[in-house]
Amino acid sequence: MVNDEDYLYDAAYSELEDRIGDEVIKENRLNSLQRYYLLNYEIAKSPNLLLDEANTILHDSPTAAFVIAYAVCEVVTRGLIIKPLIYGSVLDHIISDVITEKAMASIRGHAWPLATTLAEKLIKTDISKIEHTCDMARDHLIIQISETLDRLSKLRNRIVHRAEFVTEEDANECIFLAHRLMEDIFLKILDSLELALCDGKIIYRSMSQFDGEWGVKARVDHWAEIDASRGLLK
């Protein structure tokens, strides 16, 4: 006959083992994800430059600005969120590239649902919506990203397949969403990994706070060491 005390002990110990195992797996994923971002410290540079261009041409060419901003939304979703999350689990650039490409090919429409699922399952982070307070009006906005991208995706398809134009208001909304994906979602993920953007490049959050010439030199040396470790030192 099984002793009740022994049974309870075994059950509790088994639950503890499972919990510790889950924590170890999560910790390894977070470490791998952090490493990916640190090694690819300039991945946010192009999206930010494109957003600057979209803002510059917004008034003169809202349709072109819309297309650029929508492309940034796609790059942030696929290149800055989905691919790094997959790499954090498989620990191999080639395999993560293959999985990412296959996953993208099987998706009709935008890839945001996949991004939210991966973030929730792999790093326990909810990125399904943006809660944002506008600086000027102090209005608090809750943006349901998937619904917004559904609507913007249809506009994008009408531009590409029917040569239609969009309004400046449409372009402004797309630019706003792209900014929020970069600043509220991507930076939220970096912050959860104790990372930050500094001069457009990813670095440890603690190093981003270094002041003066010494701080600049420390960051430059850090990025140079990464380049050297990848055999890219020029």
Side-chain angles (χ1 to χ4, degrees):
M1 184 175 180
V2 178
N3 184 290
D4 286 344
E5 248 183 61
D6 291 341
Y7 174 79
L8 290 173
Y9 174 82
D10 290 342
Y13 188 78
S14 177
E15 182 182 347
L16 180 61
E17 278 189 320
D18 290 341
R19 191 178 302 169
I20 291 173
D22 289 342
E23 287 300 316
V24 169
I25 291 171
K26 180 185 175 184
E27 187 68 23
N28 284 337
R29 282 175 179 158
L30 290 175
N31 288 338
S32 300
L33 183 57
Q34 184 192 67
R35 174 176 168 76
Y36 180 93
Y37 284 129
L38 287 170
L39 287 175
N40 298 276
Y41 60 85
E42 289 191 298
I43 59 173
K45 182 178 179 180
S46 290
N48 276 321
L49 290 174
L50 282 173
L51 269 181
D52 289 342
E53 183 172 340
N55 278 308
T56 300
I57 65 174
L58 173 61
H59 181 68
D60 294 328
S61 184
T63 301
F66 180 97
V67 171
I68 291 172
Y70 189 85
V72 172
C73 291
E74 288 283 285
V75 169
V76 172
T77 302
R78 300 177 184 219
L80 273 61
I81 298 176
I82 291 177
K83 183 180 175 182
L85 285 171
I86 292 173
Y87 175 84
S89 291
V90 301
L91 307 180
D92 186 285
H93 279 286
I94 296 176
I95 295 176
S96 64
D97 283 344
V98 171
I99 294 175
T100 302
E101 289 304 315
K102 292 292 184 183
M104 294 302 103
S106 66
I107 292 172
R108 300 187 67 180
H110 61 81
W112 190 253
L114 176 59
T116 58
T117 300
L118 287 173
E120 182 182 351
K121 298 295 184 184
L122 299 180
I123 59 174
K124 311 300 182 188
T125 301
D126 180 10
I127 60 170
S128 60
K129 61 182 180 297
I130 294 171
E131 297 191 29
H132 179 70
T133 302
C134 293
D135 292 333
M136 294 183 67
R138 307 309 298 174
D139 291 332
H140 189 68
L141 305 175
I142 297 180
I143 304 170
Q144 300 294 338
I145 300 171
S146 191
E147 294 173 8
T148 305
L149 279 173
D150 278 338
R151 184 160 36 81
L152 295 177
S153 176
K154 291 173 183 175
L155 288 176
R156 178 260 180 198
N157 289 340
R158 280 158 49 187
I159 294 170
V160 173
H161 300 298
R162 300 180 189 174
E164 293 186 8
F165 294 91
V166 297
T167 66
E168 188 170 330
E169 183 180 355
D170 293 328
N172 212 16
E173 181 183 19
C174 196
I175 290 172
F176 179 79
L177 178 62
H179 273 295
R180 300 280 59 84
L181 289 178
M182 283 290 296
E183 296 168 16
D184 295 339
I185 300 298
F186 176 59
L187 292 188
K188 176 182 178 181
I189 293 175
L190 291 186
D191 187 65
S192 72
L193 300 168
E194 299 184 359
L195 302 174
L197 271 185
C198 186
D199 300 324
K201 302 174 184 178
I202 298 171
I203 200 165
Y204 290 109
R205 188 170 57 214
S206 57
M207 292 187 72
S208 71
Q209 298 166 353
F210 293 165
D211 294 325
E213 291 183 11
W214 178 83
V216 173
K217 184 178 186 306
R219 289 188 286 272
V220 169
D221 288 347
H222 167 79
W223 290 316
E225 286 178 11
I226 289 176
D227 286 344
S229 72
R230 295 183 305 182
L232 298 177
L233 188 62
K234 297 176 182 178

